[in-house]
Amino acid sequence: MNILKQLALKRPSTAFTLRTFTTAASTYENILTEKKEGGVGFIQLNRPKALNALCDGLYKDLHSALQSFDADPEIGAIVITGSEKAFAAGADIKEMKDKEYPQTYLIDMLSWWENVGKTRKPIIGAVNGYALGGGCELAMMCDILIAGKNAKFGQPEINLGTIPGMGGSQRLTRAIGKSRAMEMILTGEMMDAEEAASRGLVSRVHPTESLVDEALKMARKIAAQSRPITIMAKDVVNQAFETGLQDGLKFERRVFHSTFATNDRREGMAAFAEKRKANWTQN
Ligand SMILES: CCCCCCC/C=C/C(=O)SCCNC(=O)CCNC(=O)[C@H](O)C(C)(C)COP(=O)(O)OP(=O)(O)OC[C@H]1O[C@@H](n2cnc3c(N)ncnc32)[C@H](O)[C@@H]1OP(=O)(O)O
């Protein structure tokens, strides 16, 4: 059997439970998807009123679209982008703010986001505007990251009385080194596109307006290569990056859950939703 068919058939349980997918734009609630020419699967995060904050529904849509493209033999590479203002401004704070520690631990909250990194075909993240908190973490799950000139990366969870929970402490530290990652995570300050490129967090910076076209161009080039060899190449590069990562991710997630046992986490998120400054009580 043709190896591409075998790859597509490898995951029938997921591929066949997905919603039907055509070359026309699909009907997800929180993302737009399209099969672009040259074998490229295109995903645009689409919650403009919330600056693409990552709610549960968005995760479900994204996961479904990624599985669909992964199982589609016509697709060789995937592009994920947001809007010109925001790739994603983080986890949806309003959805998360009333959660309690036992619940976060019981459901292993956020563990499902690791599925994004399990996509076998290469993903190019094209970041314009804010990529903050979970948005920065989602960007770092992509295999290649390119940025528009207006991109701003950050892990501002500290301002909400919590910490990164989707891999930020692990992937950012590996990408830009301990000192700068520590500074960003402890101060919550953002990094601009030029600095992100100079530190290797992103591989290229383009004008904001042409970023998506540049991402599609790169994706078409990748999609024109041998599909199985491309996946093998991705796997080996990731091996260099990920050895030891799983333990780090699990540790980070557990500590993230435990911030839900603090009053300061509750206060930080309530303060955001109520548009006021947080009043820390140190417990
Ligand atoms: C389900 C996934 C869980 C993953 C959790 C993993 C751990 C990660 C945690 C996080 O990611 S915590 C969130 C980190 N991000 C932030 O703290 C950024 C919050 N946003 C801002 O600081 C600002 O919005 C901005 C990005 C600096 C832009 O400011 P601007 O003044 O231009 O716009 P706003 O008026 O503030 O925003 C417009 C609109 O969007 C809503 N919004 C923005 N970010 C979020 C968010 N992360 N969650 C929910 N909603 C968000 C904001 O409230 C505004 O809505 P309205 O008030 O107009 O209804």
Side-chain angles (χ1 to χ4, degrees), residues 37-155:
E37 64 169 300
V40 177
F42 180 73
I43 300 176
Q44 182 169 24
L45 310 184
N46 187 36
R47 292 188 75 208
K49 287 189 184 147
L51 303 185
N52 294 330
L54 305 172
C55 60
D56 284 345
L58 188 148
Y59 166 73
K60 284 178 191 141
D61 287 353
L62 181 62
H63 183 222
S64 174
L66 285 172
Q67 283 191 311
S68 207
F69 284 141
D70 226 12
D72 185 337
E74 289 177 4
I75 296 295
I78 299 165
V79 171
I80 301 181
T81 194
S83 67
E84 286 197 1
K85 173 151 186 184
F87 178 75
D92 191 318
I93 302 165
K94 294 165 191 169
E95 187 178 81
M96 197 172 34
K97 72 183 177 44
D98 295 323
K99 293 200 191 301
E100 296 293 341
Y101 174 59
Q103 188 192 359
T104 66
Y105 200 92
L106 185 67
I107 62 171
D108 200 7
M109 179 180 163
L110 306 182
S111 56
W112 44 89
W113 279 93
E114 287 310 308
N115 288 324
V116 173
K118 291 183 183 141
T119 308
R120 304 201 74 209
K121 292 174 183 167
I123 304 178
I124 299 170
V127 175
N128 269 324
Y130 297 110
L132 302 179
C136 186
E137 293 169 306
L138 172 61
M140 290 188 290
M141 287 176 202
C142 298
D143 300 301
I144 300 173
L145 208 45
I146 62 174
K149 274 194 180 348
N150 72 343
K152 287 201 181 328
F153 298 87
Q155 298 288 162

Side-chain angles (χ1 to χ4, degrees), residues 1-12 15-16 70-74 121 227-228:
M1 191 189 304
N2 176 312
I3 190 149
L4 291 179
K5 278 203 182 126
Q6 285 180 42
L7 282 172
L9 290 173
K10 243 182 114 179
R11 19 178 99 204
F16 297 129
D70 226 12
D72 185 337
E74 289 177 4
K121 292 174 183 167
R227 300 277 156 78

